[in-house]
Amino acid sequence: NMVVVEHRYFGSSIPEKPDWKYCTTEQSANDCHVIREFVAKFFKGKWLLYGTGKGGQMALAYKMKFPDDTDASVIMGAAVRNSDGDTRLDEFFTAKSATKCGQYIEKYQKEMLDRKQTMMPVFSEFIAQKKLSFEKSGLDPETLYDYCVLYYPLCFWQGGFSCIDIPIPDSPEHSMVRELVKVINPRFFSNDVIDRLRASQYMAYAELGAYEPNTTPFKGKLKKKDYSNKLFLPQGTKPKYNGKFYEQLNAFLKKSKAKNMLFIYGENDPWASMQAEINAENNNKKLIIANGSNKSRLSELKPEQIEELAKFVGDCLGVNLKSK
């Protein structure tokens, strides 16, 4: 049996008038525990905890607060910052920018901004064809375009895209814009999506750590000075970052209760730069998907890794799992 938890403030579980002070990792953990207690009346077997990305972070919050609720955990792509001043994400992009692919990416970004005047009609045509509106985010067409260009490196590596597809300089505008909207779809900032992302942005600035696009290489090419993601926070909120969650989580991962946990990361995922530090003595393991991204799934594991995954879960739950 599988129980899927949709956290409050996400998906269809958004209150009509949300009180954002309850949008916390602790509240998510408590919700999972209440659901687990209720469902356990009917399901008497052992429990496997699974989460990916931000869902993986919430799974870790649940595991930390209620370590005895579940018997094994498989966590994919969950970033675990080590302090308020964690620089590993910045170091990831610095290292990638020194590669040939990273240099292609920066050249592409500069080309998109240098030729913005001729790119904008093609970009605006795409927006019109998709019938996208941006009143809720308050983005005018040029600022929206700038955000997409600035987000390109994060979405490129996070999405596992190929350097071969990056257009060469002086490519036609349609080819250049097609690559941009393929990697970072403007719908991400539109009325259709923005409300569903408010909670993620709030939690990022309050507890999980926020990503801010790098504008340094593009001075003089952008319409505005500030391209902070705070623009997308719920209206009227100004969360202050509290590092307590990560302090507690990193301390927990060293304790004996943090056991039977398997972490999986994509090799090229930016968020994998902030991997959890595990205690192997407590039967905790880590698998890396070669050339993987944030979109990688279990099917991308090598055969021997799938066998290791099957053995790990089987041993923890007391069942004989086949890797195929």
Side-chain angles (χ1 to χ4, degrees):
N1 297 288
M2 180 165 63
V3 179
V4 180
V5 177
E6 179 177 87
H7 297 292
R8 63 174 74 191
Y9 302 95
F10 289 84
S12 59
S13 301
I14 302 176
E16 186 175 336
K17 295 181 179 180
D19 188 337
W20 293 99
K21 70 182 180 181
Y22 296 114
C23 185
T24 64
T25 54
E26 182 177 18
Q27 192 67 58
S28 294
N30 290 337
D31 289 344
C32 288
H33 177 66
V34 170
I35 294 169
R36 158 71 171 78
E37 290 287 284
F38 175 78
V39 177
K41 297 175 182 177
F42 315 101
F43 298 158
K44 302 300 182 181
K46 292 191 175 184
W47 288 81
L48 172 67
L49 176 63
Y50 177 75
T52 64
K54 186 183 175 303
Q57 291 176 311
M58 295 306 97
L60 287 172
Y62 172 44
K63 174 67 177 177
M64 176 175 67
K65 187 164 186 183
F66 301 99
D68 297 326
D69 270 18
T70 52
D71 301 284
S73 305
V74 176
I75 310 294
M76 289 193 67
V80 179
R81 295 176 183 262
N82 56 26
S83 67
D84 289 355
D86 197 323
T87 60
R88 288 178 292 173
L89 187 60
D90 293 333
E91 291 167 2
F92 170 88
F93 285 113
T94 299
K96 287 296 185 185
S97 67
T99 66
K100 184 176 290 187
C101 186
Q103 292 169 2
Y104 285 159
I105 289 173
E106 189 167 317
K107 285 180 181 178
Y108 170 77
Q109 288 179 281
K110 288 180 177 178
E111 182 90 358
M112 292 298 288
L113 294 173
D114 287 340
R115 295 168 57 190
K116 189 191 300 187
Q117 188 174 357
T118 59
M119 297 289 183
M120 281 299 301
V122 181
F123 182 76
S124 297
E125 182 183 356
F126 174 86
I127 299 300
Q129 288 177 348
K130 298 297 181 181
K131 298 181 180 179
L132 301 178
S133 301
F134 301 89
E135 292 83 6
K136 290 184 178 181
S137 58
L139 294 176
D140 61 84
E142 184 178 348
T143 305
L144 169 66
Y145 179 89
D146 287 348
Y147 262 107
C148 289
V149 173
L150 291 171
Y151 256 91
Y152 183 85
L154 172 70
C155 295
F156 180 91
W157 295 112
Q158 183 175 269
F161 291 96
S162 172
C163 285
I164 298 175
D165 295 334
I166 301 176
I168 61 174
D170 298 326
S171 292
E173 282 79 5
H174 279 85
S175 297
M176 300 288 282
V177 172
R178 189 183 304 116
E179 170 68 8
L180 181 68
V181 299
K182 179 187 74 175
V183 173
I184 167 63
N185 195 320
R187 185 179 296 277
F188 178 81
F189 303 100
S190 72
N191 293 350
D192 296 340
V193 177
I194 199 71
D195 283 340
R196 291 193 276 121
L197 298 178
R198 301 287 194 196
S200 290
Q201 295 290 0
Y202 181 88
M203 295 188 79
Y205 282 99
E207 292 185 282
L208 301 179
Y211 167 79
E212 297 288 9
N214 181 21
T215 61
T216 303
F218 313 111
K219 289 184 178 179
K221 301 177 186 291
L222 301 167
K223 181 178 180 179
K224 296 186 175 183
K225 292 182 179 179
D226 183 13
Y227 284 83
S228 171
N229 286 328
K230 289 182 179 179
L231 177 68
F232 310 118
L233 284 168
Q235 189 173 7
T237 64
K238 295 182 179 179
K240 293 183 178 180
Y241 182 75
N242 184 343
K244 184 179 178 181
F245 167 65
Y246 281 127
E247 290 176 9
Q248 294 177 337
L249 179 57
N250 280 290
F252 168 74
L253 291 174
K254 299 175 183 178
K255 296 179 179 179
S256 59
K257 285 284 188 179
K259 61 183 180 179
N260 299 340
M261 305 176 74
L262 176 64
F263 292 85
I264 304 175
Y265 292 97
E267 182 182 14
N268 291 324
D269 181 11
W271 306 112
S273 64
M274 297 184 287
Q275 296 180 20
E277 297 181 11
I278 64 172
N279 184 348
E281 295 180 359
N282 293 337
N283 192 35
N284 296 316
K285 299 178 183 293
K286 190 182 295 186
L287 296 176
I288 305 298
I289 298 175
N291 297 314
S293 67
N294 191 260
K295 290 186 177 180
S296 292
R297 293 297 176 257
L298 299 179
S299 59
E300 296 177 44
L301 290 168
K302 294 179 179 179
E304 60 270 22
Q305 291 177 314
I306 293 179
E307 288 185 11
E308 187 173 353
L309 169 65
K311 185 178 186 310
F312 170 83
V313 174
D315 289 347
C316 292
L317 301 185
V319 295
N320 183 21
L321 292 180
K322 295 181 179 180
S323 61
K324 295 182 181 180

